[in-house]
Amino acid sequence: FVDSLNKESSRLKFSNPKKGIELAQTSFLIAEKAKYENGKAESHRVRGLIYNYLVEKDSCIKYYFLALNLFKKNNNEEGIARVSNNLG
């Protein structure tokens, strides 16, 4: 369910970014309860994507680094690569 919310949140980044942020927040809370660290990290990454689209660079970078730290903690190489790509 968390992964589905993250995908939907990302899909909304252009058409309805506010709703995308809300879904990413919901996804994070559910992932936190379930102790699903990669889901938490991806919700942060998606929020970073949305804030990047909204040109809110401080928030964008904040969420990218939150995601990167969680992906590193969990040795998720794909997640690390995706965030690194997002950071440029």
Side-chain angles (χ1 to χ4, degrees):
F1 186 66
V2 169
D3 294 334
S4 297
L5 284 175
N6 284 330
K7 285 178 186 172
E8 180 64 12
S9 177
S10 181
R11 191 184 67 74
L12 291 170
K13 69 181 165 267
F14 301 122
S15 62
N16 193 345
K18 182 179 178 184
K19 180 68 173 173
I21 289 170
E22 290 172 6
L23 283 179
Q25 290 170 329
T26 300
S27 173
F28 177 83
L29 293 173
I30 293 168
E32 190 169 49
K33 274 189 158 182
K35 299 189 185 330
Y36 179 34
E37 296 298 308
N38 287 317
K40 287 169 43 177
E42 182 63 10
S43 71
H44 284 323
R45 190 187 75 81
V46 170
R47 285 172 81 174
L49 288 172
I50 296 169
Y51 283 121
N52 185 51
Y53 171 72
L54 295 173
V55 194
E56 293 185 28
K57 294 298 180 186
D58 289 342
S59 293
C60 168
I61 291 169
K62 170 188 168 182
Y63 284 104
Y64 281 157
F65 277 102
L66 286 169
L68 185 61
N69 288 334
L70 282 173
F71 282 135
K72 283 182 177 181
K73 179 181 168 187
N74 293 289
N75 298 313
N76 183 324
E77 296 297 324
E78 181 181 344
I80 293 167
R82 292 178 81 184
V83 176
S84 296
N85 183 55
N86 294 137
L87 284 165

